Amino acid sequence: MSSSEEGAAPAPAVRRAPESIAGLQEDYSNLCMEKSQKINLFISHILQEVDEKVKKGLEEEITLTIAGNNRLVPVERVTGEDFWILSRILKKHLYINGLDVRYNLLSDDGAYYAAKLLQKQLNLIYLNLMFNDIGPEGGKLIAKALHKNTTLKYLRMTGNKIENKGGMFFASMLQINSSLQKLDLSDCDLGMQSLIAFATVLTQNQAIKGIHLNRPILYGEQEESTVHLGYMLKENHCLVELHMCKHGIKNCGLQQLCNALYLNTTLRYLDVSWLSVVSNNIEGEGLVALSKSMKTNPIFSNIYIWGNKFDEATCVAYSELIQMGCLKPDNTDVEPFVVDGHVHLSEVSNGLKKHYYWTPAYGEAYGPSSNAGFALTQVGQHI
């Protein structure tokens, strides 16, 4: 080899499915026959669509979406046994770097195979397991698999009742894992103990950019978890996005968050709203204090407060924030209006996670204003 050849830059690699490997659908059918597993026609249909895209030329990595709430084609929801077969073929097709199996029936059996997938499929950066009947034991398996996984960037466990026990395993995982950037544990029935554990580990973890801790199961009037999360925000210099809907936050707890925001230089998105019939019980004093923190913290750009208790002082404060340019109209879920000389706030759809629980089958999925959390913390193709 000549010296010029030795010093030449290598030609850029063309990413495509290896020719020696059969298509996803063929692999799936063959493995189902080998393992005497009934073919799930919904999975087979989705895999065929992906194969057709691959044949046209693979230009970028692919997220495989097998959503159980799909309304455009007949759905046969994925079970744990189905996922076992699916996970085995994905290990051979490394151009799949995202997997979305939301609204299926994986249960803890499927969580076991999801954990195995995370251990073997080392190019997976996005995994959506939301609403799959996964419990504490399944949550434990997935959390432990992430102790050694260094590639996954975004995990959605939304709606799986892993409870306080499962939440503790995820908190422990964040002490070890330094690659996961976004974690969604909303509607997972987390308890006070696991919330405090998350607040504690996030004072040290410098990888997580966004975390959803919405709707925990809390009892009594204590706001201990809010106090701990406030302390965490004083120490954490990586978190961009924090979701704390339905925490029962009152003025005292919000004041703790406000004190932290005076010192925090990274958080851009804080969601303390409640999108149901009961509010976070934050009243005018706390909401006005939160508005003041926006005037002194130039990084803090998005705030969502609808569903709390607005008095006139609150309405005036947020109207002034918008008029001064401290808060852009697209970065909040309220809009001021005047009636008989008094300022009021109305709700607007910005930041309400319009496509949080579902994704449209066509059109733009993540608009920058109606889905601000997705736009702010982008750590993968579909984030």
Side-chain angles (χ1 to χ4, degrees), residues 311-330:
D311 58 10
E312 188 165 5
T314 301
C315 299
V316 170
Y318 285 86
S319 177
E320 289 179 351
L321 275 181
I322 293 172
Q323 291 175 1
M324 293 168 59
C326 298
L327 179 60
K328 294 181 179 180
D330 281 352

Side-chain angles (χ1 to χ4, degrees), residues 225-274:
S225 60
T226 305
V227 172
H228 281 269
L229 287 166
Y231 289 148
M232 177 273 293
L233 287 176
K234 293 180 181 180
E235 302 293 331
N236 183 286
H237 301 293
C238 182
L239 197 65
V240 174
E241 174 189 345
L242 175 61
H243 296 257
M244 296 177 61
C245 295
K246 310 177 187 179
H247 274 235
I249 301 172
K250 300 180 180 64
N251 287 352
C252 180
L254 188 60
Q255 187 62 58
Q256 295 286 339
L257 296 178
C258 292
N259 292 339
L261 291 173
Y262 291 127
L263 301 175
N264 185 285
T265 58
T266 58
L267 193 73
R268 294 179 57 195
Y269 179 110
L270 176 64
D271 190 346
V272 294
S273 58
W274 188 301

Side-chain angles (χ1 to χ4, degrees), residues 286-304:
L287 293 170
V288 170
L290 188 57
S291 73
K292 291 179 180 178
S293 68
M294 289 208 74
K295 294 179 181 179
T296 58
N297 187 328
I299 304 297
F300 190 27
S301 61
N302 296 61
I303 185 170
Y304 305 92

Side-chain angles (χ1 to χ4, degrees), residues 249 272-274 279-282 287 305-310:
I249 301 172
V272 294
S273 58
W274 188 301
S279 75
N280 249 326
N281 292 322
I282 304 169
L287 293 170
I305 60 171
W306 184 259
N308 292 290
K309 299 178 180 179
F310 302 157

Side-chain angles (χ1 to χ4, degrees), residues 28 38-45 76-79 82:
Y28 174 68
K38 176 180 175 291
I39 291 178
N40 183 312
L41 295 179
F42 179 46
I43 295 177
S44 182
H45 172 78
E76 183 180 350
R77 292 192 171 180
V78 180
T79 65
D82 292 327

Side-chain angles (χ1 to χ4, degrees), residues 15-29:
R15 289 181 297 182
R16 62 182 63 190
E19 294 181 2
S20 60
I21 296 180
L24 284 162
Q25 186 188 37
E26 183 182 347
D27 265 356
Y28 174 68
S29 298

